[in-house]
Amino acid sequence: MRKPLMAGNWKMFKTPEQTTAFFEKFLPLVEKSAHCEILVCAPFVDLPAAVIAAAGSSVGVGGQNLHWSTGDGAFTGEVSGPMLKAVGCRSVIIGHSERRQFFGETDATVLQRTKAALASGLQPVVCVGEMLADREAGKTNLVLETQLRGGVFSLTPEEFTAVVIAYEPVWAIGTGKTATPEIAADAHKFIREQIRAHYGDAAASSTRILYGGSVKPDNVKSLMAQPDIDGALVGGASLDPISFASIVNF
Ligand code: PGA
């Protein structure tokens, strides 16, 4: 009942020209892929090129961050939800661990940005995940619970229906160390239990929880075989159209 969502996170890669070239190769490889929703989250400057290239296809385009104000304002360097929406975005990544590590993102700002995304009509893909030290100290569930509570659990049940959660263990991002399907499955199960405790059975069974962290064409199948894994948030392997298409077509 949950349609898988395969999302690419391009991070700070590609120019508009390279974006157009990516879609030229990628779209024919996924035109029959109706089993899942497909999303490409590109740098801000590439969004218009991505939206134009993806027009008429089922591939959605998203941003990687947004400001928490939905109005215009004196916020140098920032981009708002209505701006993303105006350019044709469907979704936006929020609270990625790189934002948390390098740009001062907190659970409180994740919540504000998630509210702004919802108010702008964008699907928020909210990232949570533990650092290696948390896992080694046996604190994985505590970290996940804290991030969920601070970042999304004060949304109303109605607001929460639009939210996608991405579980990304920080130690698995860009390192080539994927969480084993069992490790990922445990974390996804825990996240779903938390959703059930806060929002009830219907929300728990309809919310999509994506896995992210070194997802590649050769490991996607075993991850997607886990009952609580509803898709992937793919960094490095989403930059190449052939590799991202083979992940989409797992
Ligand atoms: P990776 O990145 O696939 O390159 O590990 C995932 C992410 O950061 O979303």
Side-chain angles (χ1 to χ4, degrees):
M1 62 178 290
R2 295 186 295 268
K3 190 169 192 179
L5 169 57
M6 305 309 259
N9 172 13
W10 282 1
K11 309 191 179 188
M12 198 171 74
F13 288 88
K14 294 193 192 294
T15 62
E17 199 182 326
Q18 291 167 331
T19 299
T20 305
F22 171 93
F23 278 92
E24 269 168 23
K25 283 198 179 157
F26 180 65
L27 291 181
L29 301 173
V30 298
E31 67 187 352
K32 296 199 182 80
S33 310
H35 63 285
C36 68
E37 205 180 307
I38 308 167
L39 178 66
V40 171
C41 296
F44 292 134
V45 296
D46 297 329
L47 294 173
V51 168
I52 290 168
S57 79
S58 63
V59 179
V61 172
Q64 300 171 9
N65 185 31
L66 82 170
H67 192 258
W68 50 75
S69 168
T70 51
D72 295 333
F75 299 111
T76 303
E78 292 296 305
V79 167
S80 73
M83 289 171 178
L84 292 178
K85 189 74 186 170
V87 90
C89 285
R90 180 197 286 176
S91 311
V92 59
I93 296 172
I94 297 173
H96 189 278
S97 62
E98 286 150 16
R99 304 289 321 165
R100 294 177 189 260
Q101 270 181 283
F102 307 129
F103 303 101
E105 190 81 67
T106 65
D107 296 333
T109 55
V110 167
L111 177 64
Q112 287 180 285
R113 292 187 210 276
T114 303
K115 286 184 175 168
L118 293 165
S120 311
L122 295 164
Q123 170 191 59
V125 178
V126 178
C127 303
V128 296
E130 81 286 1
M131 314 271 284
L132 184 59
D134 301 323
R135 175 159 288 273
E136 288 176 346
K139 290 188 183 152
T140 298
N141 288 356
L142 179 67
V143 168
L144 295 178
E145 208 241 306
T146 305
Q147 291 178 344
L148 289 166
R149 188 160 18 87
V152 288
F153 281 167
S154 58
L155 298 174
T156 66
E158 202 194 337
E159 287 171 330
F160 188 75
T161 55
V163 172
V164 173
I165 303 290
Y167 168 63
E168 297 206 310
V170 180
W171 48 272
I173 294 178
T175 57
K177 284 188 204 152
T178 330
T180 62
E182 293 71 30
I183 289 178
D186 278 353
H188 281 237
K189 186 160 175 273
F190 177 77
I191 292 169
R192 202 174 300 287
E193 280 164 8
Q194 295 296 305
I195 296 171
R196 182 169 288 112
H198 284 266
Y199 292 112
D201 285 339
S205 55
S206 63
T207 301
R208 286 178 294 183
I209 307 173
L210 315 184
Y211 169 78
S214 299
V215 176
K216 306 283 178 231
D218 61 3
N219 61 25
V220 64
K221 210 170 169 161
S222 56
L223 289 161
M224 290 303 292
Q226 306 300 318
D228 285 310
I229 300 186
D230 307 313
L233 183 54
V234 187
S238 73
L239 294 169
D240 175 67
I242 295 169
S243 103
F244 191 40
S246 76
I247 289 172
V248 166
N249 296 324
F250 65 95

